[in-house]
Amino acid sequence: MLGVIDLPTYLAGLVLVVLLPGPNSLYVLSVAARKGVRTGYTAAAGVWCGDTALMTLSAAGVASLLQANAVLFGIVKYAGAGYLTWLAVGMLRAAHAMWRARREPAEQSAEPEAVAGERPFRRALVISLFNPKAILFFVAFFVQFVDPGYAYPALSFVVLGAFAQLASFLYLTALIFSGTRLASAFRRRRRLSAGATTAAGALFLGFAVKLTLASA
């Protein structure tokens, strides 16, 4: 089928990979819970654009260059870890402000500046792009399902990428609508909101540490 080998196996592996928690899905869920469906989809659009860029770079062979060049890989890796750390610190600061304001009436407590001033599309895009493990995953995973003898390999990558984006769309849509349900509970329960933001910040710190320890 258009130069794609063993499509059922690819789809099965894709579902498992998409369902694994990561910084992209966590950020989209967090944005949807705090700001609603529309903003959640804005963040999701950043993820999809970032994934498309990574797929294109992988098809062009850039991922192989990163894998072969330790210096370039290190630059991308530490830049990504630094950005995730910066996001984590912002979330933890916002959580601290929530903890301090948890006894105030709802109408008197404004959303922390660190959270209110964010740009979901841009943040999600950068989170997606600064992920060298994702680049290496795309090239390693995609190549296994592209027929080397097919005359138009770019078409094969497009087919595989379309399935990947469809799976991501369905998964992030589920997270967005789950997040909006959580939002009402967060507005009613300040401690729950502060605790969830603290947990999200801690997870982003964990992602940053994991990325720092990653190897090509």
Side-chain angles (χ1 to χ4, degrees):
M1 174 185 172
L2 300 177
V4 176
I5 302 172
D6 199 0
L7 182 59
T9 300
Y10 169 76
L11 294 177
L14 178 63
V15 170
L16 293 176
V17 170
V18 168
L19 291 178
L20 288 175
N24 290 347
S25 57
L26 176 62
Y27 182 68
V28 171
L29 177 62
S30 172
V31 168
R34 289 184 284 108
K35 298 190 174 184
V37 171
R38 183 174 180 178
T39 309
Y41 272 112
T42 299
V47 172
W48 297 325
C49 288
D51 286 348
T52 299
L54 291 181
M55 293 175 195
T56 303
L57 291 173
S58 297
V62 175
S64 298
L65 176 63
L66 281 176
Q67 192 172 20
N69 191 312
V71 175
L72 286 178
F73 182 84
I75 291 174
V76 175
K77 177 176 71 172
Y78 289 112
Y83 188 73
L84 290 178
T85 301
W86 180 73
L87 288 179
V89 171
M91 288 182 175
L92 292 175
R93 288 179 58 191
H96 178 67
M98 291 176 186
W99 280 113
R100 294 182 61 182
R102 68 185 184 277
R103 299 182 184 280
E104 298 178 4
E107 61 273 11
Q108 293 183 8
S109 61
E111 187 180 21
E113 182 179 355
V115 177
E118 68 182 311
R119 297 180 180 178
F121 177 86
R122 186 177 67 178
R123 284 198 176 185
L125 177 64
V126 175
I127 290 172
S128 181
L129 288 176
F130 279 96
N131 192 344
K133 295 300 289 184
I135 298 175
L136 299 180
F137 161 77
F138 276 125
V139 71
F141 194 64
F142 279 18
V143 169
Q144 297 180 37
F145 299 93
V146 174
D147 184 357
Y150 187 63
Y152 306 101
L155 183 57
S156 304
F157 280 103
V158 169
V159 172
L160 295 174
F163 279 115
Q165 292 288 47
L166 176 60
S168 177
F169 173 80
L170 295 175
Y171 179 55
L172 292 183
T173 293
L175 290 183
I176 287 169
F177 283 95
S178 297
T180 55
R181 291 187 177 183
L182 291 174
S184 59
F186 288 167
R187 284 191 291 267
R188 292 193 305 268
R189 302 177 183 179
R190 298 291 180 75
R191 292 186 178 182
L192 176 62
S193 179
T197 304
T198 301
L203 284 174
F204 267 84
L205 278 178
F207 289 135
V209 173
K210 183 178 180 180
L211 183 55
T212 302
L213 299 176
S215 60

